[in-house]
Amino acid sequence: MNITSLIVERRLQEALRAMKPIIDRDVTPWELKREYQDISSTYAFLLDYFRQGVDDPDREKVFTRLCGKTLVLHDKCAVLPYRSSRGAQAGDPFGEASFWTVEEVSSATTRLRSANERTEALCLLVSDVTVSLLRVFDPAKIAVLCEAACSERDAVAVRAVTAIAIVVRRYHERFPLYPDVKARLRHLATDTAFMDMLSDVELQFIRCRDTEKIERQMKDDIIPSMLRSPGAKGKTIITTDDLTDGSNPEWEKWLKESGLEDSLRELTEMQMNGADVYMATFSSLKNYPFFHTMANWFRPFDPTHPEVAELFDEPATDGATRRSPLTLQRLVMKSGIFCNSDKYSFCLTLMTLPRQQLDLLRTQMAEQEEALRDELGGDLPTDALGHVSPRTLVRQYIQDLYRFFHLYPGHGQFADPFTDGGNMDLDDPLHTFYPFTQQALLAALELNLQRHDYSSAIDGFDLLQATFPDAMDATLWQKCGYCHQQSGRYFEATEDLVCADLLKPGHYWTLLHLAQCYAERHMWEEALDHYRLAAAIKPDNLKLDYQQARCLFEMNRNDEALPILFKLVYHEPDSLKIQRLRIHTLLLLHRPEQAQKYAGHVLADASLDLTDEDLHLLAATQWLCGDRPAALRSLSALDTAPNLFLLASLGISKPDLPFLRDSLIESSL
C-alpha cells in the first residue's frame, strides 16, 4: 500500500515510518525535514496522552489535522523531482506544481473580489489553479476555487465550477482530512446558481464524449465525400452555397445518394445540442507559436491581444491605425459558435493571408454587415454582442479544456478529466458529493438517450431511482426498459416494461416492446399474448401478424401459424422472410409437395440472395419430393457443411443422412 493510501486510511504511524527514508535524503529541503519532525513530535505526544488515558476532546480534530498535513508534506516531497526538472522553464509558472501560502491565498482572494481586476486575468488565474491542482493537491487552492465559484462574473464562475467538478472526482477521498475545505465545498450546494451551473458542466462533459466520433466522421466520411463530389471538381473550397443551392440538381441528387445529406443533418442536430463539431477542423491549427505557451490554451478571446490585434485594426488616412468599427468578422468572434482556442486559431490563420486578400475579406465582411444592418432596419445590437450566456460559456470553456487535454504537446503528463467527466454511475464521487436535482438528472438522461449511449442512460436511471424513487412514471419506465432492451439485457427490460404497463395499462408501445423482450427470452407464450394485445390496438399491422405466426411456429403450433402466413404472403408476396417461414411450416406439417411449390417460386427469382437456411429448406423439399440430385445441388451451394440436425427436423429420415453427407463429399472431390 502506498503512502497516500495509508494517510487517507488514517494509518498515520505507518505512513510516517514509510516517509522517513524520503525525508532523510540529502536533497530534501530543511523546511520539509522540520515539518516532518513537528508532525512526528505532535503525534507522539497525542499517542502518549492516549496511552495515559487523558481525556482530550480535541484528539480527533488534532489527528485529522496531522493526517492532512502529512499528506501535503508527502505531496511536496513527491513534486521535488518534477520542479527540479523544469529548471529553465521556471519563467512560465502557469499551472506550476506548487503549494500556496496564506499570503498567496489572500492575494488571489483579493483579486477575485476586486472590481478593477480584468475578467480575462481572473479567468487565467482560475485556469492556472486548475492545472496546478491536476499536478498536485493543494487544499489552499481549492478554497480559492470556492471563492471564484461565487463570483458575479459568469466567465470566472464557470471556470471555477468546472474545476471543482474535476477536483471532486480526482481528490474526493482526501476531503475528510480537510474539514474546513470540505465544509466550504459542501456549502456551495446550497447555492442554486452553483448547482445549475454544475449541471450544465456535467451535460457538456457528456456531449464531449461524442467528440472523437464526430472527428472521425468528419475526417473519414464527410470531408472525403465532399472532395469526391461532382461540385468539388476544379474547386479547392466547397462553400455552403454548394450544399444549399437548390438550382443544382446534380448536387441534390449526389447529397441524397451518397448519404452525406443525412450525415450533415445529424451533425447539425448534434451542434444544436451543444456537441463539439469543430474539433476536426481546428485540431490542425494548433501549431502556431501562440499555442506553445500553456496559458494561451485557456485564454479568453480578446481582439486586443497583441497576437491578433492587427487583424482588427485598419489603416487611417493619416497613416495611423484605429480600431475598426464592428464588422461581421468581429460579430463571428463574439458569437458562441467557436470556443476561445478556436477563435485564436481562426484569427491566426487569417493573418497568414496576403494583405490584398485580407483587405478583400474585410471589404466583403463590411458589405455583409451593411446588408445585415439594412435587413434589421438599423444598427446592430452591439450591446448584446458582449454578453454570452453562462451555458454558452460552459460549452466554450470545456471545449477549450478538451483541446488542451488532447492536443497540447505535453498533455500526457496530466490525467484526462474527460475519461470520467459526465459519468452517471451510482457511485460517482461528484454525484455523491453534490446530489443533483431531479431536473438535472432527467436532463442528463435525455441527453444520453439522444446520443444512443444506453449504458450511461441505464446508470442515470439507477441514480434517479436511488435518489428520487417516486420520480419514475410510466414514460421513464418505458425509456429505462428501452435502454435495457437496446443493451441486450432483456430480463431487466421486461421488469421495467411491466412497471410501465402497470402504471399505464394497454399502451401500444409498451405491449410491443414487452412482446419483443419475451421473444428474445424465448418466452413464446407470453410474447404471443402481448403481440395479440398490440394487434388488437393496430389490427392492420402486418408486422404484428408475422410475429404472431413466428411465436406459434416456435411453439410448434404450425397449424395455427399457417393461415396467418398465407394471409401475409398475399399482402407481401416478395417478402423472403415470410416465404421462408411458410415453407418451413409446411415441411413441419409434412406437406413437402406444397412446400416445394412455393420453394420453386423462391428459387426461380434470381434477384434473391439465398441464405444457408433457405438452401436447407429448398434441399429438404426437393429430397422429400424425390428429386435427390436437385437436393444435392442445393446443398453443395452451402458455404458450410450441411446441418444434418436441421435436415432431420425437416423430415429427411435419419438413416439417409450419412449417405447424403457422403454423397456431397464424393461430388466435391
Side-chain angles (χ1 to χ4, degrees):
M1 183 177 291
N2 61 41
I3 295 174
T4 298
S5 299
L6 288 172
I7 301 172
V8 169
E9 293 186 9
R10 296 171 178 259
R11 296 162 64 174
L12 183 55
Q13 190 66 24
E14 296 174 71
L16 289 171
R17 288 179 180 176
M19 286 180 61
K20 190 70 166 61
I22 301 174
I23 295 297
D24 289 342
R25 294 180 305 185
D26 293 338
V27 295
T28 303
W30 67 269
E31 296 95 338
L32 301 187
K33 293 177 182 288
R34 186 181 64 183
E35 193 173 341
Y36 176 84
Q37 188 58 46
D38 289 344
I39 294 172
S40 299
S41 299
T42 302
Y43 190 46
F45 283 124
L46 196 68
L47 288 175
D48 189 45
Y49 292 152
F50 174 76
R51 285 191 294 267
Q52 294 177 27
V54 176
D55 185 17
D56 185 357
D58 293 330
R59 179 185 295 125
E60 187 61 31
K61 292 181 180 178
V62 174
F63 178 65
T64 298
R65 186 169 66 250
L66 288 175
C67 288
K69 286 184 175 181
T70 305
L71 190 53
V72 171
L73 175 61
H74 175 255
D75 288 341
K76 289 178 179 178
C77 294
V79 301
L80 280 175
Y82 162 77
R83 300 189 69 177
S84 300
S85 67
R86 283 183 60 86
Q89 301 180 29
D92 180 16
F94 188 89
E96 184 66 84
S98 61
F99 300 86
W100 277 3
T101 62
V102 174
E103 291 76 15
E104 288 173 310
V105 172
S106 176
S107 174
T109 302
T110 301
R111 290 179 61 190
L112 287 166
R113 294 175 179 176
S114 172
N116 298 324
E117 193 80 25
R118 292 185 62 205
T119 300
E120 178 189 6
L122 296 180
C123 286
L124 286 175
L125 169 64
V126 174
S127 294
D128 178 14
V129 170
T130 304
V131 176
S132 177
L133 282 167
L134 286 173
R135 294 190 191 276
V136 63
F137 178 77
D138 182 6
K141 290 177 183 171
I142 296 180
V144 172
L145 288 180
C146 292
E147 180 70 33
C150 299
S151 173
E152 294 182 357
R153 309 190 198 198
D154 289 337
V156 176
V158 160
R159 293 182 179 225
V161 173
T162 303
I164 288 172
I166 295 172
V167 166
V168 168
R169 280 198 167 104
R170 183 173 176 83
Y171 295 118
H172 65 282
E173 292 181 343
R174 298 181 176 217
F175 290 162
L177 302 182
Y178 307 95
D180 293 343
V181 173
K182 182 178 179 181
R184 191 160 186 184
L185 284 168
R186 289 278 195 203
H187 181 70
L188 290 174
T190 62
D191 185 347
T192 303
F194 170 84
M195 292 301 295
D196 289 344
M197 193 172 288
L198 185 61
S199 173
D200 289 338
V201 167
E202 275 294 272
L203 290 175
Q204 192 57 42
F205 269 116
I206 292 174
R207 294 184 184 102
C208 283
R209 294 187 170 191
D210 292 326
T211 302
E212 289 187 15
K213 169 189 168 185
I214 295 171
E215 190 176 9
R216 287 195 302 269
Q217 189 175 0
M218 290 287 289
K219 290 182 177 180
D220 300 340
D221 181 17
I222 293 178
I223 294 177
S225 295
M226 293 175 72
L227 293 176
R228 291 193 301 268
S229 70
K233 294 178 181 178
K235 301 180 67 174
T236 57
I237 298 177
I238 300 175
T239 67
T240 53
D241 290 338
D242 294 320
L243 294 174
T244 58
D245 185 6
S247 63
N248 191 337
E250 184 182 8
W251 260 96
E252 291 183 356
K253 178 182 178 183
W254 172 78
L255 279 172
K256 291 179 180 179
E257 293 180 351
S258 66
L260 184 57
E261 184 178 32
D262 293 335
S263 297
L264 291 172
R265 185 181 297 110
E266 179 185 0
L267 282 178
T268 301
E269 292 174 355
M270 295 177 77
Q271 181 185 358
M272 292 176 65
N273 288 326
D276 187 355
V277 300
Y278 292 108
M279 178 71 173
T281 304
F282 287 98
S283 60
S284 60
L285 302 178
K286 303 298 181 187
N287 296 320
Y288 295 106
F290 175 83
F291 291 108
H292 294 173
T293 302
M294 186 188 296
N296 287 340
W297 291 80
F298 302 90
R299 188 177 298 279
F301 180 76
D302 180 5
T304 66
H305 190 280
E307 293 280 354
V308 298
E310 180 184 346
L311 194 65
F312 298 96
D313 289 329
E314 62 180 16
T317 54
D318 58 0
T321 60
R322 61 183 173 83
R323 179 66 56 192
S324 63
L326 183 66
T327 65
L328 187 60
Q329 182 181 356
R330 295 186 70 188
L331 176 62
V332 171
M333 291 299 98
K334 294 263 187 192
S335 74
I337 297 175
F338 302 128
C339 64
N340 299 286
S341 175
D342 289 352
K343 289 179 182 180
Y344 279 112
S345 294
F346 181 71
C347 289
L348 292 168
T349 302
L350 286 182
M351 292 181 67
T352 63
L353 296 176
R355 184 74 187 187
Q356 185 178 4
Q357 286 184 282
L358 187 57
D359 290 342
L360 177 61
L361 181 62
R362 279 196 177 114
T363 302
Q364 291 175 339
M365 288 184 168
E367 292 173 353
Q368 293 175 22
E369 181 193 345
E370 188 62 33
L372 185 58
R373 289 180 189 274
D374 294 340
E375 183 178 341
L376 294 176
D379 293 335
L380 292 174
T382 56
D383 59 329
L385 294 177
H387 175 72
V388 182
S389 69
R391 188 160 293 174
T392 299
L393 289 170
V394 167
R395 178 176 57 77
Q396 290 177 331
Y397 183 56
I398 292 182
Q399 288 180 1
D400 284 330
L401 288 178
Y402 191 92
R403 280 145 183 72
F404 174 78
F405 285 106
H406 293 84
L407 299 177
Y408 178 66
H411 70 84
Q413 62 188 287
F414 300 100
D416 186 357
F418 291 89
T419 301
D420 51 8
N423 186 11
M424 299 299 294
D425 188 86
L426 187 62
D427 298 324
D428 180 76
L430 183 63
H431 297 284
T432 303
F433 197 85
Y434 289 118
F436 280 13
T437 64
Q438 179 177 327
Q439 182 180 0
L441 290 178
L442 289 174
L445 278 173
E446 290 299 328
L447 179 57
N448 281 319
L449 282 169
Q450 291 175 13
R451 297 175 52 249
H452 307 297
D453 186 353
Y454 302 115
S455 177
S456 295
I458 290 171
D459 289 339
F461 277 114
D462 291 341
L463 184 59
L464 183 67
Q465 291 177 54
T467 313
F468 304 100
D470 296 333
M472 296 296 291
D473 57 15
T475 300
L476 289 176
W477 280 117
Q478 285 179 332
K479 292 179 178 180
C480 188
Y482 180 75
C483 292
H484 278 123
Q485 183 182 4
Q486 293 298 310
S487 303
R489 298 165 61 177
Y490 300 109
F491 176 80
E492 293 89 342
T494 304
E495 290 188 322
D496 297 335
L497 294 171
V498 166
C499 290
D501 190 48
L502 289 172
L503 293 173
K504 192 175 183 179
H507 191 274
Y508 172 77
W509 189 95
T510 306
L511 296 172
L512 176 61
H513 285 264
L514 262 174
Q516 293 170 353
C517 291
Y518 281 128
E520 290 291 345
R521 297 172 62 190
H522 294 181
M523 299 174 66
W524 303 111
E525 190 72 53
E526 291 82 356
L528 177 62
D529 291 342
H530 285 82
Y531 277 125
R532 283 175 170 169
L533 289 171
I537 300 173
K538 295 190 176 182
D540 297 328
N541 191 325
L542 296 178
K543 292 181 180 179
L544 296 177
D545 290 338
Y546 173 79
Q547 294 299 339
Q548 291 179 67
R550 176 170 169 254
C551 291
L552 291 166
F553 168 83
E554 295 291 350
M555 290 187 289
N556 203 29
R557 292 161 59 177
N558 298 298
D559 52 341
E560 298 177 59
L562 193 58
I564 301 175
L565 291 169
F566 272 101
K567 169 192 170 183
L568 291 170
V569 171
Y570 175 79
H571 289 285
E572 296 186 21
D574 297 328
S575 172
L576 182 59
K577 178 175 67 174
I578 298 172
Q579 292 278 19
R580 180 186 299 128
L581 189 58
R582 181 172 67 167
I583 294 168
H584 202 158
T585 303
L586 286 168
L587 286 173
L588 294 178
L589 289 171
H590 308 293
R591 303 182 192 178
E593 292 80 8
Q594 196 174 2
Q596 187 184 35
K597 171 185 174 183
Y598 301 119
H601 292 314
V602 173
L603 182 64
D605 190 345
S607 66
L608 295 177
D609 185 15
L610 299 181
T611 65
D612 281 1
E613 181 183 356
D614 298 325
L615 292 171
H616 276 90
L617 293 173
L618 180 62
T621 60
Q622 292 165 335
W623 186 277
L624 294 172
C625 290
D627 193 353
R628 295 189 174 187
L632 292 172
R633 286 195 298 271
S634 297
L635 292 174
S636 64
L638 292 170
D639 293 330
T640 59
N643 186 334
L644 300 184
F645 179 81
L646 175 58
L647 292 174
S649 70
L650 294 174
I652 298 179
S653 64
K654 290 184 180 180
D656 288 345
L657 293 176
F659 298 102
L660 182 151
R661 179 189 56 209
D662 291 344
S663 297
L664 286 171
I665 295 174
E666 183 182 29
S667 62
S668 65
L669 296 177

